[in-house]
Structures are given as C-alpha cells and as structure tokens.
Amino acid sequence: MKWFLLFMLTILSGAAALAADTQNSTALDKLKIFAGAWKSDSQNFDTIYSSAGAVSSLQTNACGHDGDFYVCNQSSNGVSRVLLVFTYKGGDTYGVTYVPADGSRAVSGELLIAGNTWTYPGQITKFGQVTYLRTVNVFTNPDTIEYRQEFSVDQQNWTLMAQGRETRIK
C-alpha cells in the first residue's frame, strides 16, 4: 500500500508540473505578436528625462520560445542592442530582463498585459526622490503598435516623454 501511495504522488506531481508547463507555454505564446520587423516613428518631448525631436528607425525582434523563456534579440537599424528575456509570473504579469549588447549590467523588470495593452512599469530614485516610469504599448491590430513613454512622481499625473507608432513590415 505504501508503494501505491508513493506511485500516485509521483504521478500527481508530474501531472501538476505538466499543467504548469502548459500554462507557462500558453502565456508566453501571447508574446509572439512582438516578433518581426517594425518601422518606428516617434516624437520625443522636452522634459527633465527626454529631449524634443523626431525619431524614425527600423526595429527588429528576432524571437523564439523555448521552455519557460521567450527570448528576443532586439535590433535598431540593423544593430543588435538588447536581448530581452521574458518569463511568465502568473496572471497578467511577466518578468523581463534586458541584457544590453554592450555588456553593461542587465536590468530586470515587469511586463503587464491587459488585453491589447502592454505596460512596462519601472522606477528610478534620484536625490532621494522616486520617479515612476512606464512605456505603454497598445496593439491596435496585430501589425500596429501605438506607444507612449511617461514619468510621474505620484503615479496619478503622468508627463509624456515620447509617443509614436510602430508598423509591422511584411
């Protein structure tokens, strides 16, 4: 009888692990829309964290899903800039680690996905003051992203640093 209980516990724990792997895989599949080449046009505004100007570029996300990771080599105008490593944390929350191509220190953060809106929240502390940052990407359709970058000291009133549009190149 003891061996039967051990056998059943082994099967149940294996089934639970398989269910978790399937959940992670399905959640990470949401990120596939991000892959590909994108024409990016943005307007930057003059703030304490940004300078005014127009910017156009070609962004390429060479991505793949393996196990519990979704990884993208992100290039700008043909130059590899950052490796993005996404993991699924649960609910609408993903972990993301940015590994710069120049070998500087990697930075970890989060991605929150609510429907077609992806929000990358963050914060910095300077002179004892916490400033909150966020990039908001809205997929208006599978081939268009409307985005904005903002900062706030109270998470209520946001100042726009940049806004733009990315269009998938087919």
Side-chain angles (χ1 to χ4, degrees):
M1 185 66 163
K2 200 182 230 182
W3 66 268
F4 179 73
L5 289 175
L6 184 58
F7 174 73
M8 288 307 292
L9 283 174
T10 303
I11 288 178
L12 291 174
S13 66
L18 183 59
D21 286 346
T22 301
Q23 180 184 11
N24 287 352
S25 182
T26 300
L28 289 170
D29 282 346
K30 284 184 180 181
L31 303 178
K32 288 181 179 179
I33 193 172
F34 189 58
W38 300 83
K39 170 76 168 96
S40 178
D41 294 298
S42 67
Q43 181 66 41
N44 296 343
F45 302 100
D46 195 22
T47 74
I48 59 173
Y49 295 106
S50 57
S51 298
V55 179
S56 292
S57 62
L58 173 63
Q59 301 293 323
T60 303
N61 300 312
C63 302
H65 179 184
D66 190 17
D68 286 341
F69 299 97
Y70 190 78
V71 180
C72 298
N73 176 9
Q74 190 172 70
S75 299
S76 181
N77 296 323
V79 178
S80 181
R81 300 286 184 193
V82 66
L83 184 70
L84 304 169
V85 181
F86 296 91
T87 58
Y88 180 60
K89 295 175 87 174
D92 61 356
T93 305
Y94 296 75
V96 59
T97 300
Y98 307 86
V99 182
D102 67 6
S104 59
R105 184 173 170 248
V107 177
S108 294
E110 288 188 335
L111 164 62
L112 308 172
I113 297 180
N116 65 339
T117 302
W118 294 19
T119 303
Y120 296 87
Q123 67 183 51
I124 58 173
T125 302
K126 215 174 200 178
F127 308 115
Q129 171 68 46
V130 175
T131 300
Y132 302 93
L133 307 165
R134 68 182 180 190
T135 299
V136 180
N137 293 343
V138 179
F139 286 83
T140 56
N141 64 57
D143 296 323
T144 306
I145 304 169
E146 300 285 342
Y147 62 90
R148 65 186 187 274
Q149 295 174 328
E150 304 168 315
F151 74 90
S152 173
V153 294
D154 61 8
Q155 296 189 74
Q156 302 297 315
N157 302 296
W158 293 89
T159 300
L160 188 62
M161 295 184 294
Q163 68 182 9
R165 171 185 290 214
E166 290 188 0
T167 306
R168 187 184 307 276
I169 298 171
K170 295 186 179 189

